[in-house]
Amino acid sequence: MIKFLDLLQVNLAHQQEIEERMLKTFRSGWYLLGNEVKGFEQNLAKYIGIKHAIGVANGLDALRLIFKTYIELGIMQPGDEVIVPANTYIASILAITDNNLTPVFVEPDIETYNIDLNKIEQAVTLKTKAVMIVHLYGQAVFSDGLKALAQQHNLKIIEDNAQAIGAEYKGTKTGNLGDAAGFSFYPGKNLGALGDAGAVTTNDDALAQTIRTLANYGSEEKYVNKYQGLNSRLDEIQAAVLDVKLKYLDAENDRRREIAKYYIDNINHPDIILPLYPADENAHVWHLFVIRTKERNRLQQYLAWNDIQTLIHYPTPPAKQEAYAEYNHLTFAVTEQIHEEVLSLPISPVLTDDEVKTIVNTLNTYK
Ligand SMILES: *Cc1c(COP(=O)(O)O)cnc(C)c1O
């Protein structure tokens, strides 16, 4: 069977180094807010090319904390609007609504699945305070026009970089394109921990300092609480694992690119729409390889019969979830079409050439 993602193999690729660092952390007797987190934060900031990286408990918290901090700093207020793609994982939206901000959904571009940059301006109102871009499936979405629009309307650009660590826009890494970015190190992400983990990156000193404080009970000094904070810290042991794996991220993203290129060059079927390989190959780190087809469930069944595991990212858009009943009446034609047609093929640094060929041959003989 070809698994959608063989996480054990992904981590076994660095088994010895990971085990040594975990053991060292265990034996240090220091498990939170220590040298492992500090070291990983420095290495992550350096990798992204940014001033600050702050380790937090998970990707959703990274995004929630960014908005919570802007509210504490008086830059945003409950009821303000945040422009966000209608086609995303629900965490992007939860981070907004958890802070009593209002999501304003914008349709994606059918060719990239990312927010349609041409539709952002028409969604701006007097209440808009931010645009959250989501580098979906691992592909960077940005433009100089977006930056100019944000400046013109005094909007913050917040990146949901959960899926795209390592991707670049014109030589700048995602996570360093806007005002602040949230990262997820959920085990299945391109840089995955052995459990939950996340980070915020920013060049803004005040934002960084306040996020750090809010993530630690709103406290800068033990038992002195400046804000009503959260407990959202990155564990030392997860930081140790991430620090080992960060060194191999570029090589692993390159392997993903190689597989994506092979799929695109060799899958040839009239019923299957392939993603586009971007002109700047650094713009995509292929967290997911997502195809589209009209009879998606039939294709998924066929692949399952042939021992190939696939997943759907995602079957239901956030605005159509029961959790967001207040938005269920809205229609997003492009988003809904995407959710009905997408299917994610296996892609990971440990997928073998033979497995990739088997997947291609199986797809090409689909009837
Ligand atoms: C994974 C993911 C998140 C949330 O990350 P967690 O670490 O699971 O909380 C947020 N946004 C997107 C687009 C994601 O894919």
Side-chain angles (χ1 to χ4, degrees):
M1 218 245 313
I2 303 178
K3 286 188 182 171
F4 177 72
L5 175 62
D6 193 337
L7 263 185
L8 178 60
Q9 288 307 321
V10 168
N11 288 313
L12 283 179
H14 315 295
Q15 179 174 12
Q16 197 184 345
E17 229 181 315
I18 290 174
E19 287 182 353
E20 279 170 8
R21 285 286 285 274
M22 287 178 80
L23 188 61
K24 184 173 157 237
T25 309
F26 167 63
R27 288 183 175 169
S28 77
W30 193 275
Y31 306 117
L32 283 168
L33 303 179
N35 290 333
E36 289 295 344
V37 169
K38 205 171 287 171
F40 173 64
E41 286 177 343
Q42 280 168 1
N43 289 332
L44 178 64
K46 194 167 155 205
Y47 178 79
I48 300 299
I50 203 162
K51 209 163 159 192
H52 305 281
I54 303 112
V56 297
N58 56 67
L60 173 58
D61 276 5
L63 296 168
R64 290 162 74 198
L65 278 160
I66 292 169
F67 289 110
K68 192 171 170 66
T69 299
Y70 279 128
I71 290 172
E72 291 290 358
L73 295 176
I75 292 166
M76 293 180 197
Q77 284 167 11
D80 286 342
E81 295 174 358
V82 178
I83 292 172
V84 65
N87 180 44
T88 182
Y89 180 57
I90 197 164
S92 320
I93 315 302
L94 289 170
I96 297 169
T97 59
D98 187 58
N99 285 289
N100 299 309
L101 298 164
T102 303
V104 174
F105 301 100
V106 169
E107 284 270 49
D109 176 334
I110 191 74
E111 301 217 310
T112 64
Y113 309 118
N114 269 324
I115 193 165
D116 188 336
L117 292 164
N118 297 317
K119 291 188 179 152
I120 293 178
E121 186 160 17
Q122 67 205 53
V124 174
T125 74
L126 291 172
K127 288 188 137 187
T128 311
K129 289 290 168 62
V131 179
M132 184 195 270
I133 49 177
V134 182
H135 307 295
L136 201 68
Y137 307 152
Q139 183 166 18
V141 58
F142 200 72
S143 71
D144 299 329
L146 173 63
K147 197 168 174 175
L149 182 78
Q151 267 160 4
Q152 186 192 338
H153 295 275
N154 200 19
L155 311 177
K156 298 293 182 194
I157 297 177
I158 294 159
E159 295 172 78
D160 179 340
N161 198 31
Q163 300 190 359
I165 186 167
E168 295 178 0
Y169 171 78
K170 292 186 182 173
T172 299
K173 287 243 167 21
T174 56
N176 191 16
L177 295 169
D179 295 283
F183 290 65
S184 166
F185 308 117
Y186 176 81
K189 298 285 161 76
N190 287 28
L191 178 63
L194 306 182
D196 277 314
V200 174
T201 57
T202 184
N203 281 312
D204 181 333
D205 297 341
L207 187 82
Q209 165 77 13
T210 309
I211 284 181
R212 222 175 254 297
T213 306
L214 281 171
N216 188 31
Y217 288 107
S219 168
E220 279 167 359
E221 193 187 327
K222 211 165 188 183
Y223 308 127
V224 179
N225 299 80
K226 193 166 172 183
Y227 308 105
Q228 296 176 17
L230 310 173
N231 173 358
S232 183
R233 298 176 296 224
L234 174 61
D235 294 335
E236 284 283 288
I237 209 151
Q238 298 299 352
V241 172
L242 291 166
D243 202 45
V244 169
K245 291 180 74 179
L246 179 60
K247 291 182 289 180
Y248 304 103
L249 178 65
D250 283 345
E252 293 186 344
N253 281 343
D254 281 343
R255 172 64 182 156
R256 288 173 181 271
R257 288 188 183 108
E258 200 171 70
I259 294 167
K261 181 108 179 45
Y262 189 87
Y263 276 152
I264 289 170
D265 289 346
N266 293 283
I267 297 171
N268 185 359
H269 195 287
D271 298 340
I272 295 173
I273 300 169
L274 295 168
L276 300 173
Y277 198 84
D280 173 6
E281 69 172 352
N282 294 330
H284 211 322
V285 293
W286 300 97
H287 172 56
L288 296 171
F289 189 92
V290 177
I291 62 171
R292 273 172 40 229
T293 187
K294 292 283 176 206
E295 292 180 76
R296 184 256 315 275
N297 294 352
R298 190 165 77 86
L299 179 58
Q300 187 173 37
Q301 268 289 321
Y302 165 80
L303 291 170
W305 284 326
N306 285 281
D307 284 332
I308 298 167
Q309 222 179 38
T310 56
L311 290 178
I312 297 166
H313 297 92
Y314 298 93
T316 310
K320 294 291 171 184
Q321 296 281 358
E322 189 181 346
Y324 285 118
E326 65 270 45
Y327 302 120
N328 287 178
H329 68 281
L330 299 173
T331 50
F332 300 104
V334 184
T335 298
E336 286 158 39
Q337 183 192 348
I338 289 171
H339 284 70
E340 277 164 28
E341 296 181 353
V342 287
L343 188 66
S344 304
L345 301 183
I347 191 163
S348 89
V350 295
L351 202 65
T352 66
D353 288 349
D354 279 348
E355 288 173 321
V356 176
K357 280 180 191 154
T358 302
I359 294 165
V360 169
N361 291 337
T362 309
L363 282 168
N364 287 347
T365 50
Y366 170 57
K367 284 192 197 70

